[in-house]
Amino acid sequence: MKSDVNFQKLIFRKLKLSDYQKFEKLFKKTFKKKISYEFFKWRYFNDRYSFCYGVFRSSNLIANVGMKSMNLNNNKKQRIYSRHTSMVLK
């Protein structure tokens, strides 16, 4: 099976606050909803454990996965991750 995707032209990296507009554009195309900068900042940058990773073609964000860190309610201070946002352009 031959793939049309050229992985050499894709950039995989952790998103920054400055990527908000690209994130918002992909979110709206994917879910047909708006997401505020305040929510984006709170969800993925409010603590040092939560994060988003994106896939860029050129400077366009074409895929994203966001993980939200949460502490378990126990004495061992264990942490779990909830996949909050996953999106990929067609």
Side-chain angles (χ1 to χ4, degrees), residues 9-10 13 17-18 29-30 34-35 38-39 46 48 50 55 57 64 68 74 79-80 85:
K9 294 184 179 183
L10 299 178
R13 70 167 172 83
L17 283 172
S18 60
K29 280 184 179 181
T30 305
K34 292 183 179 184
I35 187 167
E38 290 78 21
F39 185 82
N46 195 40
R48 66 182 186 178
S50 298
V55 180
R57 182 184 308 133
N64 177 80
K68 178 65 179 159
N74 63 21
R79 181 171 301 280
I80 61 169
T85 309

Side-chain angles (χ1 to χ4, degrees), residues 3-12 55-57 62:
S3 173
D4 292 334
V5 178
N6 184 346
F7 289 103
Q8 293 175 350
K9 294 184 179 183
L10 299 178
I11 298 168
F12 300 80
V55 180
F56 292 81
R57 182 184 308 133
I62 62 168

